[in-house]
Amino acid sequence: MFLKELKFDSTKHTYIKDITKIVNETIEKANVKQGFAVVSSRHTTLGIIVNEIAEPNLLNDFISHSLANVHEDKRSTRINKHYNYPTCDYKHRCQDNPYCNEIDEDYNAAAHIRSLTFSHPSVTVPIRDGKLELGKYQQVALFEFDGRDGKGKNPIRKRTAQIWICPGESLTVVK
Amino acid sequence: MFLKELKFDSTKHTYIKDITKIVNETIEKANVKQGFAVVSSRHTTLGIIVNEIAEPNLLNDFISHSLANVHEDKRSTRINKHYNYPTCDYKHRCQDNPYCNEIDEDYNAAAHIRSLTFSHPSVTVPIRDGKLELGKYQQVALFEFDGRDGKGKNPIRKRTAQIWICPGESLTVVK
Amino acid sequence: MFLKELKFDSTKHTYIKDITKIVNETIEKANVKQGFAVVSSRHTTLGIIVNEIAEPNLLNDFISHSLANVHEDKRSTRINKHYNYPTCDYKHRCQDNPYCNEIDEDYNAAAHIRSLTFSHPSVTVPIRDGKLELGKYQQVALFEFDGRDGKGKNPIRKRTAQIWICPGESLTVVK
């Protein structure tokens, strides 16, 4: 098994980041010809998707739909006079998690629900001929639902995603 | 490969149950240092999630959103004067499944759709250093969408989830 | 590892197709007793689900909900006087993908969002005793969100799904 960790600052609230190239580079470095790549998130408001990531207007549609379909917490630091999506009442507060030992003064229930609805904690993609076995319009991407820019009370979001490469035995095609 | 079965009565309609501890205990009993845990459901209205399960208010937000976003069948046994979420018309009836040979007089299309929308039939979580490789706020949980308390015509729900532990070859970290 | 490819014409817009039998036949041909089946899609508007596929009314409920919950693009070729679900504005156009070198004059942002919301790019199902380890009401299915019948400008949709069979070491049940 091989593991590559991606560590990055996530400063924009909601966005989608294509990581197909780095997954394929990791497969090449591991010299694995067939098997599976498991791409996983270490966060509860950042998930993994496989979709058509190369068309930027579609990413805007994904983001707009996620904001319209899952209402934002009325108390969220994002809510200002320019915020044009629906809001509602939630109960969650980051500080109420018993494991929380950091500054996190925000109300991000909606980000958690968007993560449950529109993404996966991990995705499993087959590897064939030394690269991801994806269709012509498929890419692997991270869907961030709760980035933080560090301008308010809350620090910049440090994120980690993991790419696990698992070699498989030789491939037999079944008719 | 190692398999641990979790069998339990599911008497509350919609709830979330953290199983992280038992998955880690199973990995320890199997003495597996690296590989993958595949947690799977044997049911179509009970799914698996990975999210922030340790904050109870957030779980209430998940449940409220799932009930508000996917409307309940007007014919459901849950609908009474205290039911405060939207309802609509569906066609599904449990008895119409050709494999159904038990008493199931309910209308649970919404539970199926919530399961599709908010959970997974199985999740794959990496194992590292003899335990689940989860982020600080991540837990593995069951999301039940259609428990039954046995008070009406329908019997108590008997549920089974499975924890599959798959050992992997030694781990190499890729730069 | 074993691979079976399913190739088929997808001419109906939105539908669900049970593939449980062919997955089990592939496991039998591969003579695998325990391990995992990974069923994956090569498309961004066709996903995989595990649910109660044997009850046709429930499939109609799934489809109706997916159309009602994720609004169709106003410009879509599906929109006519008989279309009874909500519509809205999106930005995505198939032709705007830099990899697009085929005729695709449609507006299918909604199909992409339905695929993200209601299905998976791949699902992992355990294999036990030479067949899929599914519950009594579970089947594995393809959820098509954007079939094309070839009657307008766009050609018939050619689709491919893949069934990957991965043998596992002998099974130990953990108490």
Side-chain angles (χ1 to χ4, degrees), chain B residues 4-43:
Chain B
K4 166 85 181 176
E5 285 205 320
L6 303 181
K7 288 176 183 288
F8 56 100
D9 288 352
S10 198
T11 57
K12 218 175 139 188
H13 192 280
T14 304
Y15 67 94
I16 293 165
K17 179 190 176 79
D18 187 348
I19 61 165
T20 312
K21 196 179 162 200
I22 197 164
V23 181
N24 274 324
E25 286 169 358
T26 306
I27 296 168
E28 199 179 339
K29 282 183 188 172
N31 198 28
V32 168
K33 297 307 174 197
Q34 65 276 324
F36 291 91
V38 176
V39 180
S40 64
S41 168
R42 303 265 289 170
H43 307 280

Side-chain angles (χ1 to χ4, degrees), chain A residues 128 171-175, chain C residues 1-7 22-30 163 165:
Chain A
R128 191 180 187 186
L171 182 63
T172 302
V173 175
V174 178
K175 299 286 170 192
Chain C
M1 297 174 67
F2 300 86
L3 167 62
K4 165 85 181 175
E5 284 204 319
L6 303 181
K7 287 176 183 290
I22 197 164
V23 181
N24 274 325
E25 286 169 357
T26 305
I27 295 168
E28 200 180 339
K29 283 185 187 171
I163 301 165
I165 307 295

Side-chain angles (χ1 to χ4, degrees), chain C residues 46-116:
Chain C
L46 180 147
I48 319 294
I49 61 173
V50 176
N51 211 290
E52 183 176 336
I53 310 301
E55 207 288 89
N57 286 324
L58 183 59
L59 303 191
N60 285 332
D61 289 337
F62 288 171
I63 291 169
S64 292
H65 176 83
S66 74
L67 299 176
N69 186 263
V70 178
H71 301 183
E72 191 74 9
D73 194 313
K74 278 177 184 162
R75 305 165 296 175
S76 161
T77 56
R78 300 188 83 183
I79 304 300
N80 59 38
K81 62 186 177 181
H82 306 295
Y83 191 79
N84 282 321
Y85 294 97
T87 61
C88 72
D89 293 315
Y90 292 106
K91 293 177 179 165
H92 173 56
R93 203 172 68 108
C94 296
Q95 286 292 321
D96 292 338
N97 186 305
Y99 300 120
C100 186
N101 58 357
E102 60 197 309
I103 295 168
D104 194 346
E105 297 281 353
D106 216 335
Y107 300 91
N108 68 352
H112 288 277
I113 295 170
R114 289 176 196 133
S115 172
L116 279 187

Side-chain angles (χ1 to χ4, degrees), chain B residues 1-5 26 29-30 38 40-46 69-71 75 89-94 96-102 108-109 112-113 115-122 124 162 164 166, chain C residues 16 34-36 49-58 60-62 64-65 69 116-120 123-128 132-139 143 167-175:
Chain B
M1 297 174 67
F2 300 86
L3 167 62
K4 166 85 181 176
E5 285 205 320
T26 306
K29 282 183 188 172
V38 176
S40 64
S41 168
R42 303 265 289 170
H43 307 280
T44 53
T45 54
L46 180 147
N69 185 262
V70 179
H71 301 183
R75 305 164 298 175
D89 293 314
Y90 292 105
K91 295 177 177 165
H92 173 57
R93 203 172 68 106
C94 296
D96 293 337
N97 186 305
Y99 301 119
C100 185
N101 58 357
E102 61 197 307
N108 68 351
H112 288 277
I113 295 171
S115 174
L116 280 186
T117 309
F118 303 112
S119 74
H120 309 274
S122 72
T124 299
Q162 295 184 326
W164 297 81
C166 314
Chain C
I16 293 166
Q34 64 276 326
F36 291 91
I49 61 173
V50 176
N51 211 290
E52 183 176 336
I53 310 301
E55 207 288 89
N57 286 324
L58 183 59
N60 285 332
D61 289 337
F62 288 171
S64 292
H65 176 83
N69 186 263
L116 279 187
T117 309
F118 303 112
S119 74
H120 309 273
V123 297
T124 299
V125 183
I127 297 168
R128 190 180 186 186
L132 290 171
E133 176 78 340
L134 292 170
K136 180 177 175 180
Y137 298 111
Q138 285 180 311
Q139 289 90 33
F143 201 154
E169 301 294 317
S170 66
L171 182 63
T172 302
V173 175
V174 178
K175 301 284 171 193

Side-chain angles (χ1 to χ4, degrees), chain A residues 43-174:
Chain A
H43 307 281
T44 54
T45 54
L46 180 146
I48 320 294
I49 59 172
V50 176
N51 211 290
E52 182 176 335
I53 310 303
E55 206 288 89
N57 286 324
L58 182 59
L59 303 190
N60 285 332
D61 289 336
F62 288 170
I63 292 167
S64 291
H65 176 83
S66 74
L67 299 175
N69 185 263
V70 179
H71 301 182
E72 191 73 9
D73 194 313
K74 279 177 183 160
R75 305 164 297 175
S76 160
T77 55
R78 298 188 86 183
I79 304 298
N80 59 37
K81 62 184 177 181
H82 306 296
Y83 191 78
N84 282 322
Y85 294 97
T87 62
C88 72
D89 293 315
Y90 293 106
K91 293 176 177 166
H92 173 56
R93 203 172 67 109
C94 296
Q95 285 293 318
D96 292 337
N97 186 304
Y99 300 119
C100 186
N101 59 357
E102 60 197 307
I103 297 167
D104 194 346
E105 298 281 353
D106 216 334
Y107 301 90
N108 67 351
H112 288 278
I113 295 171
R114 289 175 197 135
S115 173
L116 279 186
T117 309
F118 303 113
S119 74
H120 309 273
S122 72
V123 297
T124 299
V125 183
I127 297 168
R128 191 180 187 186
D129 297 331
K131 59 183 205 297
L132 290 171
E133 176 78 340
L134 292 170
K136 180 176 174 181
Y137 298 111
Q138 286 181 311
Q139 288 90 33
V140 180
L142 310 178
F143 201 155
E144 168 67 78
F145 299 99
D146 194 28
R148 310 275 178 87
D149 64 8
K151 287 181 186 160
K153 282 184 187 170
N154 301 311
I156 285 176
R157 276 281 199 212
K158 303 285 181 188
R159 297 300 209 182
T160 304
Q162 294 183 327
I163 301 165
W164 297 81
I165 307 296
C166 314
E169 301 294 317
S170 66
L171 182 63
T172 302
V173 175
V174 178

